[in-house]
Amino acid sequence: DTKADANRFDDSLDLNIDYWQVSLLWGFKPYEKVNPYPVFGIGGTWLRPDGFSSLPRFSGNFGGGAKIYLSDRIGIRLEGRFYGTYISSSTSYCDPFWCYGYTNSLYQFDVSAGLIIRLGD
């Protein structure tokens, strides 16, 4: 849950944002104590503003992080990820050579940490 501010509203607007994405993570050094990795993905974002209909939109993410193993079975995972959601675009001006427009998009950044517990060999 979050709040959205816009020029056309006097107050802020309650807004729910749900991401449904598939991401890929690739570790550079899977058997080392510190394993850095990039991550990227694509999917959809559902914007649900209070009092308005929901908007499903295309979205993607990219980022990176590291898995840091404290022992053979226990470690921590640190990650940062950027999320971008395409909302709409429109043409604002055309001259004889080109049309110029703008894009409305939503951008968010996420930082997370987690516990790694290895099971098996």
Side-chain angles (χ1 to χ4, degrees):
D1 295 344
T2 189
K3 298 259 186 213
D5 292 322
N7 292 337
R8 64 173 75 170
F9 299 110
D10 292 334
D11 294 324
S12 62
L13 174 72
D14 288 333
L15 175 65
N16 293 317
I17 302 172
D18 297 319
Y19 290 101
W20 292 84
Q21 299 182 349
V22 175
S23 296
L24 299 172
L25 179 149
W26 184 69
F28 290 112
K29 301 175 181 180
Y31 300 105
E32 299 291 326
K33 291 279 186 193
V34 177
N35 180 11
Y37 61 85
V39 62
F40 61 93
I42 60 171
T45 300
W46 276 257
L47 304 169
R48 295 182 290 123
D50 189 37
F52 296 92
S53 60
S54 65
L55 300 167
R57 295 292 186 250
F58 175 77
S59 64
N61 70 74
F62 67 90
K67 294 179 181 179
I68 303 164
Y69 291 96
L70 306 173
S71 70
D72 289 342
R73 304 236 180 246
I74 303 293
I76 58 174
R77 179 173 154 171
L78 305 172
E79 182 177 292
R81 201 179 292 208
F82 173 83
Y83 293 88
T85 302
Y86 170 80
I87 296 176
S88 68
S89 66
S90 64
T91 302
S92 59
Y93 172 73
C94 288
D95 64 25
F97 305 103
W98 197 258
C99 287
Y100 305 92
Y102 61 91
T103 300
N104 291 318
S105 299
L106 170 68
Y107 303 109
Q108 291 186 302
F109 187 75
D110 179 55
V111 177
S112 62
L115 177 66
I116 300 170
I117 300 174
R118 276 189 180 169
L119 303 173
D121 290 332

